[in-house]
């Protein structure tokens, strides 16, 4: 059995172009300003390919699909885990490396 995949929208990154709704009308509606409203966050198996296409086509990279695995399970399967945060190393201001 495959873990459930969930769809999510980064509302800050989204600019309301509506392409996701055109590619995935089964799961996404648009509000009156053109921003996506998820009908259902869980992605059925029959819509996986359409969901991947909609995520890849988002011009602002605001549409994401999570595979339902936790970080520990992703590491065990050899998948990369991206953790947001400040990059490691020496921080510079762009002025010759001085702070």
């Amino acid at each position: 059995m495959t873990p459930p995949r969930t769809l999510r929208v980064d509302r800050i990154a989204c600019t309301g172009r509506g392409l996701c709704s055109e590619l995935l009308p089964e799961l996404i509606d648009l509000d009156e300003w053109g921003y996506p409203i998820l009908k259902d966050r869980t992605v059925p198996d029959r819509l996986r390919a359409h969901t991947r296409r909609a995520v890849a086509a988002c011009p602002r990279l605001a549409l994401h699909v999570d595979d339902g695995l936790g970080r520990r399970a992703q590491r065990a399967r050899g998948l990369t885990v991206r953790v947001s945060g400040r990059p490691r190393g020496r921080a510079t201001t762009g002025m010759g490396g001085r702070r």
Side-chain angles (χ1 to χ4, degrees), residues 25-65:
E26 297 88 353
L27 297 178
I28 302 173
D29 272 338
L30 298 178
D31 67 7
E32 62 234 27
W33 297 286
Y35 289 93
I37 298 172
L38 299 179
K39 296 178 189 178
D40 188 7
R41 293 184 187 277
T42 304
V43 178
D45 289 337
R46 64 183 173 81
L47 293 177
R48 277 190 178 174
H50 294 292
T51 302
R52 281 194 299 267
R53 189 177 314 131
V55 168
C58 179
R60 299 290 299 170
L61 304 176
L63 191 63
H64 305 276
V65 65

Side-chain angles (χ1 to χ4, degrees), residues 2 7 10 17 20 22 25 30 37 44 47 50 58 77 79 82 97:
T2 59
L7 192 62
D10 181 351
R17 296 187 180 198
C20 57
E22 291 179 23
L30 298 178
I37 298 172
L47 293 177
H50 294 292
C58 179
R77 289 185 177 195
L79 302 173
R82 186 176 71 184

Side-chain angles (χ1 to χ4, degrees), residues 70-89:
R71 287 187 182 165
R72 184 172 290 173
Q74 288 178 350
R75 286 189 192 114
R77 289 185 177 195
L79 302 173
T80 58
V81 178
R82 186 176 71 184
V83 179
S84 61
R86 202 172 100 199
R88 294 181 185 212

Side-chain angles (χ1 to χ4, degrees), residues 90 92-99:
R90 186 170 173 215
T92 62
T93 61
M95 296 184 200
R98 299 178 187 218
R99 290 187 189 197

